[in-house]
Amino acid sequence: MNDLYRQVVSLSFFAKGAAATVGVLIIHAAFRVLEKTLPRRFGRADARYKVRKLIVFSGYFSILLFLAFLFEDRLGRLSFAFGIAGAGVAIALQDVLASIAGAFSIGFSKLYAVGHRVQIGDTRGDVIDIGLL
């Protein structure tokens, strides 16, 4: 493992960019195959939906971990800049962040589920998906 780490650290920025592109495409393709095949093994529609969502979020998390591992030596130097940029983004995107927090709250509290009928004001509808926004 140390040899692999040393080889990754010694790559040029261009080589890391190429490796990142190839790696992200491979990870994306693998999780797309999982997303298409794995939910078929579950009989209930709500179980298939939850498995599909878990696979999608796991794919995004895997890509982030891969990129963090690949660019770890460069990210360490940029931590302060990322902190300042993150604070700016948090202030600028308060509504979006509130929507994401609300999606996690709804998703984990089981208050609403796919298929429920809801009414907000005079508008009625069915829950067809619970997304981040």
Side-chain angles (χ1 to χ4, degrees):
M1 187 71 169
N2 274 340
D3 293 335
L4 176 65
Y5 179 74
R6 283 190 209 117
Q7 287 176 351
V8 168
V9 169
S10 67
L11 290 175
S12 68
F13 187 71
F14 179 74
K16 285 184 181 183
T21 303
V22 171
V24 167
L25 288 175
I26 289 171
I27 292 170
H28 179 70
F31 276 93
R32 286 293 288 195
V33 168
L34 282 175
E35 184 183 357
K36 297 291 183 192
T37 59
L38 194 59
R40 292 181 190 165
R41 298 177 187 259
F42 294 87
R44 295 182 18 223
D46 62 334
R48 287 192 307 268
Y49 171 79
K50 289 176 184 178
V51 167
R52 195 170 39 251
K53 283 290 191 180
L54 178 69
I55 292 170
V56 168
F57 286 131
S58 299
Y60 291 143
F61 186 69
S62 298
I63 288 173
L64 284 175
L65 282 179
F66 172 72
L67 292 175
F69 176 74
L70 190 61
F71 292 104
E72 184 263 335
D73 60 325
R74 298 194 185 266
L75 291 179
R77 296 181 210 143
L78 297 175
S79 62
F80 180 73
F82 281 146
I84 297 297
V89 167
I91 291 171
L93 299 176
Q94 286 178 343
D95 293 335
V96 173
L97 293 175
S99 295
I100 291 171
F104 281 114
S105 173
I106 290 171
F108 289 125
S109 71
K110 308 282 191 242
L111 183 62
Y112 301 108
V114 175
H116 283 176
R117 180 168 290 277
V118 294
Q119 179 176 351
I120 300 175
D122 293 334
T123 305
R124 292 183 190 161
D126 294 326
V127 178
I128 58 171
D129 188 20
I130 298 174
L132 289 180
L133 300 176

